Amino acid sequence: MPATSNAELEQRVSAVADWILEGRRYSELVGSCCAEFKVCRNTALNYIDRANVIARETRMKQKETMIARAADKLEKIHDKAYAREDCSAATGAVRELVKLLGLAEAEKQEVKHDLTDDFVGVFKGIVRSTDKPA
């Protein structure tokens, strides 16, 4: 069996990356590589590993593009709301933009304390309703 040229290898890896982006399952990828390219399982796994890098980069670029589009739309919404002096809508657009860009603080979670009967009994002895602050 002749050795695979670099150009052919890159074409194969690119094809596998396309399959990944199409959503093919891992088991399907291995089978498709073995059948399509007449290679052993280890070579197919090598192609899949290399293709995963390409697919990840492609998805990151797609995500960046989508974020940029959404940011542009939110900016337009803000500008239109500001022009018609709708402060609520303008502020809402800015809030969404801040969230989209990951600039918002993490939301604070409310901590609820579960007071068991033992604690309630202890606090009843310390604080009485008839007690008045000094």
Side-chain angles (χ1 to χ4, degrees), residues 43-95:
T43 302
L45 295 175
N46 183 10
Y47 290 176
I48 292 168
D49 286 343
R50 293 180 63 180
N52 270 323
V53 173
I54 295 169
R56 201 172 302 119
E57 290 171 357
T58 301
R59 286 187 181 126
M60 286 302 296
K61 288 176 186 174
Q62 289 172 341
K63 181 180 177 182
E64 289 170 3
T65 300
M66 290 171 63
I67 289 172
R69 286 182 187 158
D72 286 344
K73 287 181 182 181
L74 286 169
E75 188 175 344
K76 288 176 184 174
I77 290 169
H78 169 268
D79 292 345
K80 287 180 181 178
Y82 187 80
R84 54 178 202 269
E85 296 181 6
D86 184 352
C87 295
S88 178
T91 302
V94 170
R95 279 194 192 117

Side-chain angles (χ1 to χ4, degrees), residues 26 30 33-34 39-50:
Y26 188 79
V30 175
C33 284
C34 292
V39 296
C40 68
R41 179 176 167 74
N42 286 341
T43 302
L45 295 175
N46 183 10
Y47 290 176
I48 292 168
D49 286 343
R50 293 180 63 180

